[in-house]
Amino acid sequence: MPEDLVEEPIGVSNNETTLREAATDLAVAHRELDEYRNGALTLAQTLKELQRTAEAEGNHELATTARNLKESAIAVTERIEG
């Protein structure tokens, strides 16, 4: 960003900020979304393994719960990937 523009004021939701602050906030948001996505992917894999184990042991209630949670974790990644 050109140095002469970093302090350019902008209004965001009735608050005034600068282009530098907006750029910093966006960088943080991207990092946090990546962290949520990676966490949801890891959780989905763990739940998939739990579902398989529960199914093999005949624990249908646990298998169903793990499957539902796995699907929810996958939905999180899909929302982030948009």
Side-chain angles (χ1 to χ4, degrees), residues 2-75:
E3 190 62 34
D4 61 333
L5 295 180
V6 295
E7 297 305 321
E8 181 73 24
I10 57 172
V12 179
S13 301
N14 296 326
N15 293 317
E16 193 160 300
T17 189
T18 65
L19 289 177
R20 179 193 322 260
E21 292 167 333
T24 299
D25 289 348
L26 288 169
V28 168
H30 282 285
R31 186 176 63 249
E32 289 177 351
L33 285 173
D34 286 342
E35 290 172 2
Y36 280 121
R37 181 184 174 278
N38 292 336
L41 286 172
T42 300
L43 182 57
Q45 183 59 40
T46 300
L47 290 164
K48 181 179 179 179
E49 293 168 11
L50 177 61
Q51 178 186 352
R52 285 182 184 166
T53 301
E55 287 170 347
E57 294 173 354
N59 188 338
H60 301 294
E61 185 175 16
L62 179 57
T64 299
T65 301
R67 185 187 72 241
N68 291 339
L69 291 172
K70 176 190 73 178
E71 290 172 358
S72 181
I74 291 169

